[in-house]
Amino acid sequence: MHLITTVPIFLFLSWLARVTENLVLNTIRKEQLEKQAVEAELVNLKSQINPHFLFNTLNNIHTLVYKQAPAAPDAVMHLASLMRYMIYESNAATVPLTRELDYLRDYVSLQQLRYKHSPVVDLQLTGEAESCYIAPLLFIHLLENAYKHSPARLEPGDLQVRVEVKDDSLAFHVQNPIAKKPATALEEPGGIGLPNVRKRLALLYPDQHTLTIQNTGETFTVALTIHGLTSLAHERQAHLLHH
């Protein structure tokens, strides 16, 4: 009698174990597929760098070299640094904020070749950037938009870029004057600036960021704040130790 009651219980437990195992495996496979989809989307978004900037920069450097201008060697070095970062260093999930800012400075230096005035970009940093890590190539489209939608003639300091690191938060602020021409959509056909940034933020920092945009008719301002960077760094460290 005892055996008769024990066998069904054993069979039920075996069936329950198989069902649980299948559920766990299916959940793991689903998470892996979702992770792969997110990673593929991020790779695609990171690859969407405006090629016109590269072509214009090469043309500008060609002109400097032809004129044997003293600025030519520095321009080549800035371009080499920029390309090295884009092709190699930006493959990491996160990079030091200091390196991302160096990339922006290289970009600004190359853009400055278009202007005869003193630097048209005023970039200021407050806080301890050395302690902060951020997803690579996150700010470049915001800066590209600032150039693209500014007047052709810019005065020194017309483009204002502010970066502030405070506790576990990072704030990035860029403001530009608006070109005096018929109103057009912020993004040109095929434009990838702000939509690209929005998608990457949603994938990388869900519920941890705010992105605000203000158009006064005279100036255009984009402010991005990312919270919880310290906790993300601890999670990455734990992940590396685990693996």
Side-chain angles (χ1 to χ4, degrees):
M1 184 69 178
H2 179 70
L3 181 62
I4 295 175
T5 58
T6 301
V7 171
I9 294 175
F10 176 77
L11 293 175
F12 172 76
L13 292 176
S14 299
W15 171 83
L16 183 61
R18 286 196 300 272
V19 170
T20 303
E21 181 182 11
N22 288 334
L23 287 174
V24 171
L25 290 175
N26 288 336
T27 301
I28 293 175
R29 292 192 190 100
K30 181 180 179 182
E31 291 178 350
Q32 290 176 339
L33 289 173
E34 291 176 347
K35 181 180 179 180
Q36 291 173 0
V38 169
E39 290 176 349
E41 177 72 4
L42 287 173
V43 169
N44 179 54
L45 292 172
K46 284 170 60 178
S47 68
Q48 297 178 27
I49 303 299
N50 188 352
H52 300 293
F53 165 72
L54 177 59
F55 294 135
N56 291 335
T57 298
L58 289 173
N59 286 332
N60 289 332
I61 292 177
H62 175 267
T63 301
L64 292 176
V65 172
Y66 179 77
K67 295 181 177 180
Q68 297 184 344
D74 285 341
V76 172
M77 292 301 296
H78 285 303
L79 180 59
S81 176
L82 183 145
M83 296 302 296
R84 185 184 306 112
Y85 183 75
M86 289 173 56
I87 296 173
Y88 299 110
E89 298 177 47
S90 67
N91 291 328
T94 59
V95 295
L97 176 61
T98 51
R99 189 64 187 93
E100 180 78 358
L101 294 179
D102 287 341
Y103 169 69
L104 292 184
R105 292 187 182 101
D106 286 329
Y107 176 83
V108 167
S109 295
L110 293 172
Q111 284 282 20
Q112 185 62 32
L113 297 177
R114 299 161 47 194
Y115 305 97
K116 297 180 180 179
H117 302 294
S118 300
V120 299
V121 173
D122 177 17
L123 192 158
Q124 295 186 20
L125 167 69
T126 57
E128 297 295 330
E130 294 78 8
S131 63
C132 185
Y133 282 72
I134 195 71
L137 304 177
L138 192 60
F139 305 135
I140 185 62
H141 293 308
L142 302 179
L143 189 54
E144 281 183 341
N145 271 337
Y147 277 104
K148 182 166 59 177
H149 299 286
S150 292
R153 297 177 62 88
L154 287 172
E155 299 298 325
D158 270 354
L159 301 188
Q160 298 181 12
V161 180
R162 302 290 182 265
V163 183
E164 180 181 7
V165 179
K166 186 176 181 180
D167 297 329
D168 65 345
S169 296
L170 168 66
F172 181 87
H173 172 282
V174 58
Q175 179 177 292
N176 63 275
I178 297 176
K180 304 299 182 182
K181 60 181 180 179
T184 57
L186 179 63
E187 287 299 323
E188 298 171 355
I192 56 174
L194 286 177
N196 184 309
V197 174
R198 291 185 189 278
K199 288 180 182 179
R200 288 195 69 201
L201 288 171
L203 292 170
L204 293 167
Y205 302 107
D207 303 320
Q208 288 183 264
H209 73 276
T210 57
L211 181 65
T212 59
I213 300 170
Q214 184 179 18
N215 185 341
T216 66
E218 297 291 332
T219 60
F220 190 85
T221 305
V222 178
L224 168 63
T225 303
I226 303 175
H227 307 281
L229 293 177
T230 301
S231 61
L232 289 176
H234 291 324
E235 290 175 7
R236 285 192 297 271
Q237 184 178 12
H239 177 77
L240 291 174
L241 292 174
H242 176 72
H243 291 277

